[in-house]
Amino acid sequence: MGKLISSLILPSVVNGGRHLSTLSSSANAIATHIEALSRNSMSAKGIPKKHARFDNVDDALAMFTKLIEKHPKPSIVEFTKLLAAMVRMKHYALVVSMYSQLELFGVSHDVYSLSILVNCVCQLGRIDFGLSVLGKMLKLGVEPDVVTFSTLINGLCRQSQFSQSVSLFDEMVEKGYQPDLITYSIILNGLCKIGNTDRAVRFLRLMEEKGFKPDIVAYGTVIDCLCKNGLLKVALDLFSELKVKGHRLDIVVYSCLIHAMCNLGQQKEVRRLLNEMMDNNISLNIFTYNILIDTYCKEGMICEAMDIVHTMRKQGIEPNVVTYTILVDACCKEGMVSKAENIVDMMRKQGIEPTVVTYNALIDGHCLQNKMDKARRVFQLMTKEGCSPNIRSYSVMINGYCKAKRLDEAMELFNEISRTGPSPNNVTYSTLMQGMFQLGRIAAACKLFGKMLVSGLVPSQVTCSILLDGLCKCGKLKEALKIFQALQNSGLELDIIFYNVLINGLCKAGRFEYAKELFHELSVNGLKPNVYTYTTMIYGFCKGGLPDEAYRLFKSIGDNECLPNSISYNVMIQGFFRNNNTSKATQLLAEMVDKGFSADLGTATLYADLLLRSDKSILI
């Protein structure tokens, strides 16, 4: 077979010697340790028989020493049996160091021994060394087999390098290797992990064509992937196919479908599946119950969620930390923080310790009610109870302090993170910057943005839009335009939100011509204005005394696949009123009502003033 040439393998072939020498060097200390052990670890019962399975590492090390000291040296086959026994005992690092010694003593390797080495370095998380071993095999003329490739493919998947694992599989097949069931299963799982649903389904078909009948786990993996990627119909088709083929369906497959249906609000279909499970004597597990509880909680139906908890208890299934955390979070979002605290107390009585997620939900609940002192007490309690706050804990607290206009305390927490806590992320910086801008602390917000850049954290689009919006609202339009230009030059893909922020700032500052230029720039950059963009421009034209131009823009909203909403109608009507075009204002007001929209307070006040000025009576 010719050499494998790929972006994945070639660097390992070229650098194989260097990588392996690094590996050998790092294993020298372990090798020395093995020698010391082997001199003192001979079993009282003597060396194990040639084909016996080793029960402990001492016997294996003793046998290794004996084999190494033989003259002439035994073949690699004898060493391979020993190494395989060590792998079964999961002593991967020791096996790697043994290979270093075998090379020093001139023992030649074969495909089986090198495949064991590949497995060990992959188990140790060093897939780069595994690829180096493959490179060395090719240089030595040792033909890798399907086990070698499967081991590497699995190693890549374990390191979340799913795209690379699929590429290696494709190359393996291209070079004439026949994958086995294990290889197919590994790749199928990898395809699902990266969300490649089309190929995952085709892969199932390919497995069948090659004579490998996918089991319920394989089908379940693909169904779960389809559900998570919003392809419920395809998942249900595959589910129906399973039933036709006579596969015994399990709770895992049903739970995947139920979860997807709950997310889409298909309650009727969920009930149908639950009834089908009962007919097939498939009992719900804690995972399925938690899905149902979570669905009811997200719809604000907490009493119904609690009813499900009572039902599961009757079935002999006790709630777990996930169940309780779902309930705590739902109660806090609905403003029932006292009830949430009672649930936490119930958890503790049952010996279930709250997690950081549970505490975060409780902290958020207090922050939503502007009870920052209570939120702080929960924050301190979690630390006292041995549950370390994560970056979300800090971000929620900082957000609460900012909304309560207690910026000094927010900064104190932020500085605490910098000293001892987890690294601030985009959310932390964005939250604090927004709080600073709202209190007019422009210099502090810009300084914080600079600190974020120095830290090496790449600002998200949300962070950048907060910076622009803050500068615009604080009257620093010139600085905002400079930053906008810098963002364009940086190659960052700017979406409609950035343009909306600047257009709004320009309109409020009375710079309508610049706003118009920016509006027309949208199509050049492949962006479509949304209803907010249109409404902002309409407001600007009306404010600038150009109601006719505003109305032309209002009538063109439908040209970009969006429709006027209540706000755009009200802004346009108020623009007509304020520019003394009462005829068009009342005409558009009637149209708005026909569309099912209502007048806001501003429109109603202007209309009432018109009626009073016209000496007309108002019926209330």
Side-chain angles (χ1 to χ4, degrees), residues 547 551 572-582 584-585 588:
Y551 189 60
M572 188 67 251
I573 292 166
Q574 290 171 33
F576 279 138
F577 273 131
R578 289 195 172 104
N579 285 278
N580 299 317
N581 196 333
T582 56
K584 282 191 175 179
L588 196 59

Side-chain angles (χ1 to χ4, degrees), residues 185-251:
S185 300
I186 292 168
I187 287 295
L188 185 64
N189 188 58
L191 288 168
C192 290
K193 289 282 187 184
I194 60 175
N196 193 336
T197 52
D198 289 342
R199 192 169 179 192
V201 174
R202 292 201 305 272
F203 212 76
L204 273 179
R205 308 301 179 209
L206 179 63
M207 288 175 71
E208 291 173 330
E209 288 172 16
K210 298 293 182 181
F212 298 110
K213 188 177 180 182
D215 58 12
I216 189 64
V217 175
Y219 275 103
T221 302
V222 178
I223 287 172
D224 181 51
C225 178
L226 290 166
C227 288
K228 285 177 179 174
N229 284 278
L231 299 169
L232 180 58
K233 185 180 182 305
V234 184
L236 286 169
D237 289 342
L238 202 57
F239 180 68
S240 298
E241 184 182 312
L242 274 174
K243 290 192 280 190
V244 170
K245 288 181 177 177
H247 282 275
R248 179 166 176 76
L249 304 173
D250 61 14
I251 183 63

Side-chain angles (χ1 to χ4, degrees), residues 281-301:
N281 294 319
I282 298 173
S283 300
L284 274 67
N285 59 15
I286 185 66
F287 178 74
T288 321
Y289 274 117
N290 283 343
I291 291 170
L292 297 172
I293 291 165
D294 186 51
T295 301
Y296 278 116
C297 284
K298 282 176 179 174
E299 293 178 2
M301 302 168 68

Side-chain angles (χ1 to χ4, degrees), residues 131-347:
L131 294 169
S132 296
V133 175
L134 177 59
K136 183 170 183 177
M137 291 173 74
L138 298 171
K139 288 175 74 174
L140 293 174
V142 177
E143 185 84 6
D145 61 11
V146 68
V147 175
T148 317
F149 283 106
S150 295
T151 304
L152 282 169
I153 289 167
N154 189 46
L156 287 165
C157 286
R158 284 164 63 103
Q159 295 295 310
S160 298
Q161 298 180 40
F162 301 111
S163 297
Q164 295 92 322
S165 69
V166 172
S167 297
L168 184 56
F169 174 85
D170 289 340
E171 190 166 358
M172 167 187 168
V173 174
E174 184 184 324
K175 297 297 179 183
Y177 291 95
Q178 294 300 317
D180 58 16
L181 180 58
I182 294 173
T183 322
Y184 276 113
S185 300
I186 292 168
I187 287 295
L188 185 64
N189 188 58
L191 288 168
C192 290
K193 289 282 187 184
I194 60 175
N196 193 336
T197 52
D198 289 342
R199 192 169 179 192
V201 174
R202 292 201 305 272
F203 212 76
L204 273 179
R205 308 301 179 209
L206 179 63
M207 288 175 71
E208 291 173 330
E209 288 172 16
K210 298 293 182 181
F212 298 110
K213 188 177 180 182
D215 58 12
I216 189 64
V217 175
Y219 275 103
T221 302
V222 178
I223 287 172
D224 181 51
C225 178
L226 290 166
C227 288
K228 285 177 179 174
N229 284 278
L231 299 169
L232 180 58
K233 185 180 182 305
V234 184
L236 286 169
D237 289 342
L238 202 57
F239 180 68
S240 298
E241 184 182 312
L242 274 174
K243 290 192 280 190
V244 170
K245 288 181 177 177
H247 282 275
R248 179 166 176 76
L249 304 173
D250 61 14
I251 183 63
V252 176
V253 178
Y254 275 106
S255 295
C256 293
L257 292 168
I258 288 169
H259 196 186
M261 288 171 177
C262 285
N263 287 338
L264 293 171
Q266 298 181 4
Q267 302 302 329
K268 185 178 178 181
E269 288 300 306
V270 170
R271 284 193 293 272
R272 184 184 65 79
L273 275 189
L274 290 172
N275 289 332
E276 188 177 301
M277 288 173 66
M278 289 177 63
D279 292 341
N280 292 326
N281 294 319
I282 298 173
S283 300
L284 274 67
N285 59 15
I286 185 66
F287 178 74
T288 321
Y289 274 117
N290 283 343
I291 291 170
L292 297 172
I293 291 165
D294 186 51
T295 301
Y296 278 116
C297 284
K298 282 176 179 174
E299 293 178 2
M301 302 168 68
I302 297 174
C303 291
E304 288 80 357
M306 291 301 295
D307 287 342
I308 294 178
V309 174
H310 296 318
T311 301
M312 63 188 275
R313 277 194 166 132
K314 287 177 183 176
Q315 299 294 324
I317 301 173
E318 284 299 317
N320 60 11
V321 67
V322 176
T323 319
Y324 284 119
T325 300
I326 291 168
L327 292 169
V328 169
D329 184 57
C331 288
C332 288
K333 282 185 169 64
E334 292 293 319
M336 299 184 290
V337 185
S338 296
K339 188 167 186 177
E341 288 177 322
N342 291 337
I343 293 171
V344 172
D345 290 339
M346 193 190 305
M347 288 174 68

